[in-house]
C-alpha cells in the first residue's frame, strides 16, 4: 500500500513481498488534531483495517481501501497520489468510505 509513497517504512514493518503487490493508490486523510487522528485510527481498526505504521508527528494518514490498510507517515510527502486524493476525515468518510462501502 505505501510503496508508492513511503515504501521503506512499509518494508520494515510487514513481512509480505510488498513489491509484488499490484499498485493501489492510497487516499490521504489530513487532520492536524491528534485526538481526531486517534479517533480515526480507532474507527479504521473497528472496521477491520490493518495499521501498517503509526506515529504522532505528521498529520497525514494514508488509507488504502482496496487492501484495507492504513498508516500515518513520518514526514511530509510530495507525491501526485497524495496531492490529488487529499481529504479531511469527514470528507473521506462522506465521499470515499461510505460510497465504496455501499458499492
Amino acid at each position: 500500500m505505501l510503496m508508492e509513497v513511503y515504501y521503506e517504512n512499509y518494508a520494515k514493518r510487514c513481512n509480505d513481498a510488498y513489491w509484488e503487490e499490484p499498485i493501489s493508490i492510497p487516499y490521504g486523510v489530513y487532520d492536524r488534531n491528534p485526538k481526531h487522528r486517534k479517533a480515526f485510527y480507532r474507527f479504521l481498526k473497528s472496521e477491520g483495517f490493518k495499521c501498517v505504521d503509526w506515529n504522532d508527528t505528521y498529520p497525514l494518514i494514508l488509507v488504502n481501501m482496496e487492501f484495507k490498510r492504513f498508516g500515518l507517515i513520518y514526514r511530509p510527502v510530495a507525491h501526485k497520489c497524495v496531492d490529488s486524493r487529499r481529504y479531511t476525515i469527514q470528507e473521506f468518510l462522506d465521499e470515499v468510505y461510505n460510497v465504496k462501502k455501499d458499492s
Side-chain angles (χ1 to χ4, degrees):
M1 171 193 133
L2 302 180
M3 179 178 76
E4 299 88 357
V5 177
Y6 200 61
Y7 69 90
E8 297 91 352
N9 190 48
Y10 177 78
K12 280 189 263 180
R13 289 178 170 61
C14 290
N15 296 324
D16 300 332
Y18 67 93
W19 55 88
E20 293 177 0
E21 289 183 347
I23 291 177
S24 179
I25 305 299
Y27 292 91
V29 180
Y30 187 85
D31 195 304
R32 288 188 175 275
N33 187 319
K35 290 180 182 177
H36 294 169
R37 291 193 307 268
K38 260 319 207 195
F40 189 56
Y41 172 97
R42 288 190 298 274
F43 168 76
L44 290 172
K45 291 292 282 184
S46 74
E47 293 292 307
F49 283 73
K50 177 183 176 189
C51 180
V52 296
D53 196 15
W54 194 262
N55 74 83
D56 292 315
T57 60
Y58 189 68
L60 182 67
I61 304 160
L62 298 178
V63 180
N64 188 298
M65 293 292 291
E66 184 178 346
F67 296 137
K68 291 195 81 166
R69 294 195 296 235
F70 69 99
L72 203 154
I73 62 175
Y74 278 85
R75 58 178 150 254
V77 173
H79 196 281
K80 64 183 177 183
C81 76
V82 174
D83 293 338
S84 66
R85 298 177 88 167
R86 183 181 290 194
Y87 298 86
T88 66
I89 291 172
Q90 194 59 54
E91 288 170 342
F92 176 79
L93 292 173
D94 293 343
E95 298 174 25
V96 177
Y97 186 78
N98 290 325
V99 171
K100 297 248 187 217
K101 186 178 170 183
D102 294 337
S103 296

